[in-house]
Amino acid sequence: MRRLAVCVAVAGLAWAATAAAAAATIVPQRGIGGVTLGMTEPQVRQSQGEPIRLKNGRNEFGRYRILRYPTFQVTFQGLDKVTAVQTTSPKQRTVAGIGVGSRKAQVKAKVPGVVCEPGHCHLGKFLPGRRVTDFFLGRTGLVTRVVVGFVID
C-alpha cells in the first residue's frame, strides 16, 4: 500500500511538471507562444490563427516574412520554416517565470546554463545554424526582449 502511495505521488508530480511546461510560453532553445523553430507557415497559422500583421522583405540573407501576433512575432528567413520567434510582451514567460521585465539576477538564477554578457544573457553559441535563446537587457538591467532563433551568419 505504501508503494502505491509513493507511485501515485510521483505520478502526480510528473503531471504537474508537464502541465507547468505546457503553460509556459517561452521555451528556451525551442520557441515562444506555442510556435517552435522549424515549423512551416501553414503550421504556425494552424496553431495561432491569422496574424494581426504580415511583413515581407529582403535582406542580406535573402527573402523573409514576419508574422506578427499580439504578444510575439515569427520570422521566416528564406520563407521556408520558422527561424526566429521573439517577444517584447511581459505576458510571455518561461516555466520559471522569466521574461520581459525580469531582472538579470533572476535570469541568471532561473535559466540553467545561461551566460550573461554586457547587454544580454543567452543560451547556446553564436555559430551559424545553432539555436540561441537571447534575453536582451535594457539600461536598467531588466529584460526588454526575448528571442529564440537560429543563428543565420
Side-chain angles (χ1 to χ4, degrees), residues 23-82:
T25 54
I26 297 173
V27 182
Q29 301 298 83
R30 186 169 165 89
I32 298 175
V35 174
T36 58
L37 297 178
M39 288 176 83
T40 64
E41 186 173 341
Q43 289 172 322
V44 171
R45 287 175 183 261
Q46 183 177 7
S47 74
Q48 302 300 315
E50 289 301 310
I52 57 175
R53 201 169 334 150
L54 180 135
K55 178 182 178 186
N56 289 304
R58 181 179 291 277
N59 58 24
E60 62 268 26
F61 304 109
R63 295 172 57 199
Y64 66 86
R65 176 171 292 139
I66 298 173
L67 304 182
R68 185 175 288 283
Y69 289 92
T71 61
F72 60 90
Q73 71 178 31
V74 183
T75 302
F76 298 85
Q77 182 66 54
L79 305 179
D80 187 28
K81 296 186 179 202
V82 174

Side-chain angles (χ1 to χ4, degrees), residues 2 13 25 40 46 48 56 68 70 125 133 140 143 148 151:
R2 189 170 211 189
L13 289 174
T25 54
T40 64
Q46 183 177 7
Q48 302 300 315
N56 289 304
R68 185 175 288 283
K125 296 185 179 184
T133 300
T140 61
V143 174
V148 178
V151 177

